[in-house]
Amino acid sequence: MSSPDTADTDQSPAADPATPPSASPEGGAPDAAAEALAAAKKEAADNHDRYLRAVADLENFRRRTVREKEELRLFASSRLLEDLLPALDNLGLGLAAAQQPNADLKGLANGVELVQQQLKGVLASHGLKEINPVGQLFDPHQHEALSHQPSPKVKAEHVLTVVRTGYSLNGRLLRPASVIISSGKAGGGES
């Protein structure tokens, strides 16, 4: 049997545990929750705005990098070409001199040699180095062997003759030197 006193204590508004304290009209807690929600929404909007700006900045950086890379590719050789123009001018002068009726062959040969030296100087100033290994030990990383030939003066496996000069650019091989290698003295004996 339940007493009426027990039922009254269970339904008392002050003792009801199901009633949240924030639901009370004079508690002020709903305002704090609304403010927290508004602050979280503002922070989310700010973060989203920063994200969009970062994505846009990244895309602008990517485009600028691609554009700069293309400009470098197009104009990287401009300094070299500017340095080569005087040699080209001198070749033109040499051709004009060669076409004269009283052209001096020895003088023309000297002029062409000077232009060749000028070209080599310009290319060397831009990092091009000749590989001319006469008398050196054969190096398969720098030289291309065309044949072996006996020689009483050059040791075996050393470069006897350079058929075509090789070149490297700033330490990187552009073209190996084409060489004939000594096989030592004729008759099977090596030096």
Side-chain angles (χ1 to χ4, degrees):
M1 205 161 86
S2 79
S3 78
D5 294 336
T6 323
D8 287 339
T9 56
D10 288 340
Q11 295 179 2
S12 163
D16 187 5
T19 307
S22 63
S24 78
E26 59 264 1
D31 291 336
E35 288 175 12
L37 180 61
K41 284 183 179 180
K42 182 179 182 329
E43 183 179 353
D46 291 345
N47 287 339
H48 184 67
D49 185 51
R50 279 195 298 269
Y51 163 76
L52 291 176
R53 288 177 189 270
V55 168
D57 287 345
L58 183 62
E59 182 62 23
N60 289 339
F61 175 75
R62 187 191 65 76
R63 286 182 186 152
R64 185 173 63 249
T65 303
V66 167
R67 184 179 63 245
E68 288 172 356
K69 188 176 179 182
E70 182 65 16
E71 286 177 6
L72 275 174
R73 187 187 67 77
L74 290 173
F75 300 109
S77 59
S78 64
R79 194 175 130 237
L80 170 65
L81 295 175
E82 288 173 8
D83 291 347
L84 287 174
L85 290 177
L88 187 62
D89 294 340
N90 289 337
L91 276 176
L93 292 172
L95 283 173
Q99 294 170 349
Q100 297 299 318
N102 58 353
D104 176 26
L105 188 59
K106 188 174 181 180
L108 290 172
N110 288 339
V112 170
E113 187 178 343
L114 288 173
V115 172
Q116 182 187 33
Q117 290 173 1
Q118 184 180 19
L119 281 171
K120 285 182 178 182
V122 168
L123 295 173
S125 72
H126 286 272
L128 190 72
K129 181 180 175 189
E130 282 190 11
I131 301 171
N132 193 351
V134 174
Q136 297 177 5
L137 183 64
F138 175 74
D139 178 2
H141 300 291
Q142 298 286 316
H143 314 141
E144 175 183 42
L146 299 178
S147 67
H148 278 78
Q149 187 175 348
S151 171
K153 295 181 181 178
V154 179
K155 293 181 185 178
E157 298 305 315
H158 282 68
V159 176
L160 178 64
T161 306
V162 175
V163 176
R164 187 177 72 178
T165 305
Y167 293 95
S168 66
L169 179 63
N170 297 320
R172 184 179 188 183
L173 184 66
L174 287 179
R175 179 176 83 181
S178 298
V179 298
I180 296 174
I181 302 172
S182 171
S183 58
K185 292 182 182 177
E190 293 186 5
S191 57

